[in-house]
Amino acid sequence: MTDPGRHEPALRLTRADLDALPNYVPGRSPADLARELGLPEAIKLASNEVPYGPLPGVVEAVTEAITASHRYPDMGVVALRDALAERYGVDADRIATGCGSVALAEHLVRATCLPGDEVLYSWRSFEAYPIIAATSGATSVRVPNDAGHGHDLAAMAAAVTDRTRMVLVCNPNNPTGTAVRRAELDRFLDAMPDDVLVVIDEAYREFVTDPEVPDGLDYLDRPNVAVLRTLSKAWGLAGLRIGWLVAQPAVASAIRKVATPFSTSTAAQAGALAALTQVSEMERRCALVIAERDRVTEALRKFVPDVPASQANFVWLPLGDRAVAFGKSCEARGVIVRPFPGDGVRVTIGTPAENDAFLAVAETALA
Ligand SMILES: Cc1ncc(COP(=O)(O)O)c(C=O)c1O
């Protein structure tokens, strides 16, 4: 008898072009790895999270908010947009929130591109970019990173065509940690056509220490600039899924239109509002990460001299063909990092003890 729940894939029901898309790779579960290795615990340095738990007050605010979880969230996200507007000195009608800034990047492609239009970005960069471009039917145009593993903005400007609708500048860049500086970004923006939306993705802005790396929010007087920020990293809310965007009002309004309704949940709104009251604690934690980032970079350079300086909460090991083997070696010793085959390995900065454990493993694997 045929099982009514199973169907032979005789007729294709989904788009054939999706077969060529890579899956987004989430970091491996440390609990699973610890079980597999018979260790009390494993260390996860693979997803660019901050290791210090939710900020004070967040758990209480979320707990309180979920007592109303039988109600839909505030679809206008009014209180949170107002709080962001006040903190960052922008009008609330220029802000849109979403289920992580990755969802907002997706909405931006949806709002700017028709099938066949081009989305331009540096490569290697955030691994979600090719996926979100392709799911909207847009064409990805990737410009290789320069020799220092950063964006080659001159080559990116030269790659703009009359099909280009959106350009992503990932600053600092995931996974290499490099950042573009003010003078080169100014030049790049001057060269952009008015009808191309330049999205400055600043997921790691709070970890930037180089004063020459500009704040994307300073460019908002340019109508074709949008800035993406997230509460997942420095603000410690990765699991609640909340990001935000600032753009000219017409762009922000288009994003709110194409976004999945109610996708900024009640818990996310409450958690974000509570987190935003904890600026000095957030900054204290970022300072710990930054000090560790610089220590880890120095230590790794003894084995891999061309580790680029990072402006984010992770470091990049440009190991090329050795990347996967290095990742496996770390995992076999209970430390999960993020290898990109043939290219390099991204290692998130954890607590000092976690970083020491990683460095011990790395020393063995690289020596
Ligand atoms: C450059 C960059 N942008 C956006 C995101 C998305 O973050 P989220 O969707 O958690 O806000 C990430 C996450 O790793 C990232 O690295």
Side-chain angles (χ1 to χ4, degrees), residues 105-180:
E106 199 174 333
H107 302 334
L108 282 163
V109 179
R110 203 183 290 165
T112 54
C113 293
L114 289 168
D117 287 341
E118 292 173 358
V119 178
L120 177 72
Y121 48 87
S122 193
W123 197 253
R124 173 169 300 275
S125 188
F126 182 31
E127 63 187 304
Y129 295 160
I131 301 172
I132 62 183
T135 49
S136 290
T139 301
S140 277
V141 177
R142 301 175 181 191
V143 174
N145 288 342
D146 63 19
H149 311 284
H151 287 31
D152 183 343
L153 287 183
M156 287 174 72
V160 170
T161 72
D162 56 7
R163 297 308 303 263
T164 310
R165 300 264 55 84
M166 188 172 134
V167 180
L168 284 148
V169 175
C170 191
N171 206 34
N173 187 44
N174 175 8
T176 58
T178 53
V180 301

Side-chain angles (χ1 to χ4, degrees), residues 24 48 99-103 126 129 170 174 201 203-204 230 232-233 241-243:
Y24 186 91
N48 296 346
C99 177
S101 59
V102 70
F126 182 31
Y129 295 160
C170 191
N174 175 8
D201 183 346
Y204 303 97
T230 183
S232 294
K233 311 294 179 181
R241 311 304 302 125
I242 181 147

Side-chain angles (χ1 to χ4, degrees), residues 114-264:
L114 289 168
D117 287 341
E118 292 173 358
V119 178
L120 177 72
Y121 48 87
S122 193
W123 197 253
R124 173 169 300 275
S125 188
F126 182 31
E127 63 187 304
Y129 295 160
I131 301 172
I132 62 183
T135 49
S136 290
T139 301
S140 277
V141 177
R142 301 175 181 191
V143 174
N145 288 342
D146 63 19
H149 311 284
H151 287 31
D152 183 343
L153 287 183
M156 287 174 72
V160 170
T161 72
D162 56 7
R163 297 308 303 263
T164 310
R165 300 264 55 84
M166 188 172 134
V167 180
L168 284 148
V169 175
C170 191
N171 206 34
N173 187 44
N174 175 8
T176 58
T178 53
V180 301
R181 292 181 145 189
R182 190 168 288 107
E184 48 176 339
L185 188 58
D186 289 353
R187 241 187 337 268
F188 177 74
L189 291 173
D190 288 344
M192 280 303 109
D194 294 342
D195 61 350
V196 171
L197 185 69
V198 181
V199 178
I200 309 177
D201 183 346
E202 296 190 324
Y204 303 97
R205 173 68 205 169
E206 292 83 358
F207 303 103
V208 169
T209 49
D210 178 349
E212 284 306 307
V213 174
D215 184 331
L217 300 179
D218 293 343
Y219 291 97
L220 289 175
D221 54 342
R222 296 180 184 247
N224 63 337
V225 168
V227 175
L228 277 178
R229 294 279 182 97
T230 183
L231 285 122
S232 294
K233 311 294 179 181
W235 298 92
L237 296 183
L240 283 184
R241 311 304 302 125
I242 181 147
W244 55 285
L245 147 166
V246 203
Q248 61 154 302
V251 172
S253 151
I255 296 308
R256 291 196 293 268
K257 204 177 283 180
V258 301
T260 309
F262 301 111
S263 55
T264 308

Side-chain angles (χ1 to χ4, degrees), residues 124 145-150 175-178 297 300-301 303-309 315-324 326 338-347 358 366:
R124 173 169 300 275
N145 288 342
D146 63 19
H149 311 284
T176 58
T178 53
T297 303
L300 288 172
R301 280 184 178 153
F303 306 102
V304 185
D306 54 344
V307 171
V315 294
W316 175 246
L317 280 159
L319 292 176
D321 291 341
R322 292 188 294 152
V324 171
F326 177 79
R338 181 72 168 87
F340 295 87
D343 211 347
V345 179
R346 188 190 68 202
V347 185
F358 162 69
L366 292 168

